[in-house]
Amino acid sequence: MINTVAVLGAGQMGSGIAHVFALTGHSVLLYDVSESQLARALAVIQQNMERQAKKGDIPQSLIPESLARITTTREMISLAPADFCVEAVTEHEPLKLEIFAKLDSIAEPSAILASNTSSIPITKIASATGRPHQVVGMHFMNPVPVMKLVEVIRGHATSEETFQTVIGLAAKLGKEVAVSQDYPGFIVNRVLIPMINEAIFALYEGVASAEDIDRGMKLGTNQPMGPLTLADFIGLDTVLAIANVLYDGFKDPKYRPCPLLVKMVNAGYLGRKSGRGFYSY
Ligand code: NAD
């Protein structure tokens, strides 16, 4: 029985993950190194719950009790009571390995440790712990409260029991599951990131303007937004990190990140979250 959930990282994804767990009756311990990110996460969660209530998706009365279930902390040791941990810190492999090793020493031996990584091998993350059979990928989509899908990724050592617990938990959150084996990019990013990267190449080569590329793909392929708008939404640093994982993981030049993407990340143009990417916000 999963009652208390630890969420590590209070950025775009961590705040959304905390939101859906709190709304479905779980106690949430939300951890981040940054005090300002924690404060921002609480404000965003409240704002998004209000929006859901206004749309009639949830009763207004659910909001105060859901918010009261979230406790923020900057101390990882406070996550010890969690039955289930979901990590959603920055997409940087050495950081994730360090966090999982530390979390492994803090969490109850029975606790399951999940990662929301977009692209880092679950098997590798699991190997940083002494409980690889209790490590699994639980890859939420952005924005978490809105998007129906969760990809569940089985690491090489993930046990059937761990896998089934995560499947049950996803159902409790009202999510649909797509199950993937542990290969670079899993399912969604394996297909999505090369498409975004190709859109960036089209911009880089002067094929068309950002607006035209997005209009073409949005109206021509019936997507809710164009690939460059989506890249800004995901975060260009995250897009680049995933592109590099595909490139390194498959050793295939077809996955090479566009130099324009690299340059924009170097310039600090990270998309929506930094106020500037392919568009200004
Ligand atoms: P983000 O930059 O919005 O948030 C990352 C958070 O991690 C920040 O709040 C940061 O303060 C925190 N952090 C950094 N180092 C930390 C540490 N040592 N301990 C605790 N917290 C730390 O990033 P995001 O978009 O929320 O992405 C988080 C994860 O979710 C990544 O693995 C990413 O690949 C994955 N993901 C992202 C998306 C997306 O669309 N953005 C979708 C699915 C999965």
Side-chain angles (χ1 to χ4, degrees), residues 11-13 32 37 88-89 91 96 116 118 139-140 142 234:
Q12 290 195 86
M13 296 305 290
D32 202 292
Q37 283 291 88
V89 305
E91 187 79 343
K96 302 242 190 223
N116 183 53
S118 303
H139 183 214
F140 291 86
N142 189 18
I234 295 170

Side-chain angles (χ1 to χ4, degrees), residues 55-212:
K55 278 174 57 194
D57 293 345
I58 59 166
Q60 181 77 33
S61 59
L62 212 57
I63 297 178
E65 60 184 89
S66 301
L67 290 174
R69 282 192 205 104
I70 304 174
T71 309
T72 60
T73 178
R74 289 176 61 211
E75 305 295 332
M76 209 197 273
I77 192 78
S78 313
L79 308 181
D83 308 305
F84 188 87
C85 304
V86 194
E87 167 278 316
V89 305
T90 314
E91 187 79 343
H92 182 54
E93 191 173 303
L95 175 64
K96 302 242 190 223
L97 298 183
E98 186 193 317
I99 293 237
F100 270 78
K102 201 163 161 200
L103 189 58
D104 185 40
S105 69
I106 289 170
E108 285 290 332
S110 60
I112 290 176
L113 313 183
S115 176
N116 183 53
T117 178
S118 303
S119 60
I120 297 166
I122 298 303
T123 306
K124 194 147 190 197
I125 291 176
S127 72
T129 75
R131 61 178 94 187
H133 52 289
Q134 282 162 245
V135 177
V136 66
M138 192 174 195
H139 183 214
F140 291 86
M141 306 292 129
N142 189 18
V144 181
V146 176
M147 298 291 280
K148 270 274 161 205
L149 184 75
V150 173
E151 269 183 307
V152 175
I153 301 104
R154 297 183 91 128
H156 197 63
T158 306
S159 72
E160 185 61 25
E161 195 185 338
T162 298
F163 177 71
Q164 291 303 338
T165 303
V166 177
I167 297 288
L169 203 50
K172 210 173 159 205
L173 298 177
K175 303 295 186 194
E176 298 279 341
V177 164
V179 178
S180 175
Q181 297 300 322
D182 189 18
Y183 289 106
F186 316 131
I187 305 165
V188 174
N189 284 320
R190 169 81 178 263
V191 178
L192 175 67
I193 296 300
M195 185 197 71
I196 290 176
N197 195 43
E198 199 59 32
I200 302 171
F201 265 111
L203 180 67
Y204 171 69
E205 291 167 8
V207 174
S209 67
E211 288 80 4
D212 280 317

